[in-house]
Amino acid sequence: MTGVLLVLLSALLVSAATAAEAAADLYATHCAVCHGGTGKGDGPAMGALHPRPRDFTTGVYKFRSTPSGTLPTLEDAVKSTRVGLAGTSMPGYAEILSPAEIESVSRAVLAMAPAESRRGSPIPLGNAPSPSPESVARGRALFAGSG
């Protein structure tokens, strides 16, 4: 029984190492040109980009569903990687990478944060109000500046 457990544990470790290597390769291919090899936002293209690429090693993120001072969720990082970030040079990778690859590279990026970085939970936003003719009219008036 012990031999079987050792074989399974060995297979799991090899699988984890292979996944980490695959994530590192994806990062090197698709992210490092802007974010740098170590994630400091200092890649060769950084000088031509405005705003500058995110420094992943600080653990500070602008686009997240979590409170200030906490890391984004994996879902936040996946969304940013999948669809990109409007108003920045960050493209979306949905047409280039598979969902599993996007998740893999997103995990790798989040792992670059300092060990003491706090994990965050999404801020609850509550339920969206139900649309009604009155709420649509009020929204139209507020948008037009007459409400």
Side-chain angles (χ1 to χ4, degrees), residues 7-66:
V7 168
L8 289 174
L9 180 59
S10 175
L12 284 173
L13 291 174
V14 168
S15 177
T18 302
E21 288 175 22
D25 288 345
L26 287 168
Y27 180 87
T29 301
H30 300 285
C31 311
V33 69
C34 298
H35 295 283
T38 59
K40 292 184 183 284
D42 60 354
M46 73 142 189
L49 304 176
H50 183 74
R52 287 187 57 171
R54 175 74 43 207
D55 177 349
F56 299 129
T57 66
T58 65
V60 176
Y61 286 79
K62 185 173 185 177
F63 301 100
R64 63 188 189 289
S65 63
T66 57

Side-chain angles (χ1 to χ4, degrees), residues 6 10 18 31 41 55 57 60 67 74 84 88 90 97 108 111 114 123 126 128-129 142:
L6 286 175
S10 175
T18 302
C31 311
D55 177 349
T57 66
V60 176
L74 175 60
T88 75
M90 174 67 187
L97 301 176
I123 299 169
L142 287 170

